[in-house]
């Protein structure tokens, strides 16, 4: 590459004659580059932080829970309490845009006991499909299956912190029995997942039962607490939120014009 000496001399003279302007121009260029690098780095860092927060959860998932009604409707007063039920699962499965629809129930303040060790935990009731909503990383054993649910087996999957507190010596806990709220359950798996975002309690602090077993143990009937779902590829949860709310509102006599939402 040929260097034009005259041009270089002209540039050097211009810079030296206008030092202040040249300094400000250079500072502006360097500051712009610095801000660009900072913003790009901050954006990547925020993205990674969000991914860690939602680690294990399906990115196309949503959740539906009941709230007190916001309006009086068809003879029912404003502020009425109502419950989701198993029949709502089939109602929501009629929405074509949904892929997986599964119920979840939970209670807090229970005690899991093994020998002399005790741990205050939450108890969850789930179907096997819940694994497609929140991935269960199994360190030992397996997650709940269809046979457990169909037969209402007294089996459970324990979280990482439950395991560490009850089985201080370590080892495979599968096949051993723990007592939760006076009922003995055989351990079939230990989940090592420990995300920062949770639905109805941290997975690491939970004892998960087949949903039919939990409904019977705590006399819940067909009541459920949360409907978990995923949408099909190319569809956003917000796009079908009005349709989902309409399906549930019709079934539970809730005013279609109410502004209180329970879908997220």
């Amino acid at each position: 590459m040929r260097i034009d000496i005259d041009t270089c001399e002209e540039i050097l003279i211009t810079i030296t004659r206008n030092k202040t302007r040249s300094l400000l121009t250079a500072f502006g260029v360097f500051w712009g580059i610095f801000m660009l690098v900072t913003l790009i780095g901050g954006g990547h860092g925020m993205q990674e932080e969000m991914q860690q927060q939602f680690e294990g959860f399906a990115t196309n998932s949503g959740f539906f829970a009941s709230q007190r009604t916001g309006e009086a409707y068809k003879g029912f007063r404003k502020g009425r309490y109502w419950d989701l039920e198993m029949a709502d699962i089939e109602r929501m499965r009629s929405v074509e845009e949904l892929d997986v629809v599964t119920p979840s129930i939970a209670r807090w303040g229970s005690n899991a006991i093994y020998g002399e060790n005790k741990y205050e935990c939450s108890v969850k009731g789930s179907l096997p499909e819940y694994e497609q909503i929140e991935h269960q990383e199994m360190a030992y054993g397996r997650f709940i299956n269809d046979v457990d649910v169909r037969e209402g087996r007294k089996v459970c999957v324990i979280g990482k912190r439950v395991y560490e507190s009850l089985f201080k010596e370590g080892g495979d806990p599968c096949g051993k029995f723990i007592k939760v709220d006076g009922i003995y359950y055989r351990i079939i798996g230990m989940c090592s997942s420990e995300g920062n975002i949770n639905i109805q309690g941290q997975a690491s602090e939970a004892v998960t039962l087949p949903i039919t077993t939990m409904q019977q143990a705590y006399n819940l009937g067909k009541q459920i607490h949360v409907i978990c779902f995923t949408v099909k590829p190319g569809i956003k949860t917000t796009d079908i939120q009005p349709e989902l709310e309409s399906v549930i509102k019709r079934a539970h006599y809730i005013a279609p014009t109410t502004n209180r939402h329970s879908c997220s």
Side-chain angles (χ1 to χ4, degrees), residues 6-178:
D6 293 336
T7 301
C8 292
E9 289 179 352
E10 184 178 351
I11 293 173
L12 182 61
I13 292 171
T14 301
I15 291 175
T16 55
R17 286 179 179 178
N18 302 277
K19 296 180 180 179
T20 302
R21 186 178 66 182
S22 300
L23 181 62
L24 291 175
T25 301
F27 177 77
V29 172
F30 286 124
W31 181 255
I33 295 174
F34 171 76
M35 290 301 297
L36 179 62
V37 172
T38 300
L39 289 173
I40 292 175
H44 283 300
M46 184 176 295
Q47 182 179 4
E48 292 181 1
E49 179 67 21
M50 291 297 293
Q51 289 177 344
Q52 290 177 359
Q53 291 288 331
F54 288 92
E55 184 179 2
F57 278 93
T59 56
N60 60 339
S61 61
F63 307 91
F64 205 105
S66 65
Q67 293 183 351
R68 296 176 64 179
T69 56
E71 299 178 26
Y73 185 67
K74 288 192 175 183
F76 292 99
R77 63 181 176 82
K78 176 182 178 181
R80 170 174 62 95
Y81 288 99
W82 59 282
D83 294 318
L84 290 167
E85 56 192 18
M86 289 298 292
D88 291 320
I89 299 297
E90 295 305 321
R91 294 183 180 113
M92 288 188 65
R93 284 174 177 167
S94 66
V95 179
E96 294 183 357
E97 293 84 354
L98 296 184
D99 186 13
V100 175
V101 182
T102 187
S104 177
I105 56 180
R107 60 176 284 139
W108 292 264
S110 296
N111 286 312
I113 301 173
Y114 179 76
E116 299 297 323
N117 300 323
K118 179 187 295 186
Y119 186 79
E120 185 174 336
C121 64
S122 61
V123 181
K124 293 184 178 182
S126 300
L127 291 177
E129 291 80 6
Y130 184 75
E131 209 273 339
Q132 299 179 54
I133 304 293
E134 181 184 6
H135 176 64
Q136 308 294 303
E137 189 70 35
M138 305 303 297
Y140 296 102
R142 61 172 176 83
F143 194 59
I144 292 163
N145 63 26
D146 291 326
V147 178
D148 299 327
V149 175
R150 185 171 60 250
E151 297 182 357
R153 292 177 172 175
K154 291 182 178 180
V155 296
C156 69
V157 175
I158 61 175
K160 181 180 179 181
R161 297 185 186 179
V162 179
Y163 167 76
E164 291 173 346
S165 297
L166 299 186
F167 300 92
K168 300 182 184 299
E169 71 283 359
D172 188 350
C174 295
K176 298 178 181 179
F177 287 82
I178 61 172

Side-chain angles (χ1 to χ4, degrees), residues 232-246:
K232 293 180 179 178
I235 298 174
K236 296 180 180 179
T237 303
T238 52
D239 294 338
I240 63 171
Q241 179 176 333
E243 183 178 1
L244 299 180
E245 292 184 350
S246 177

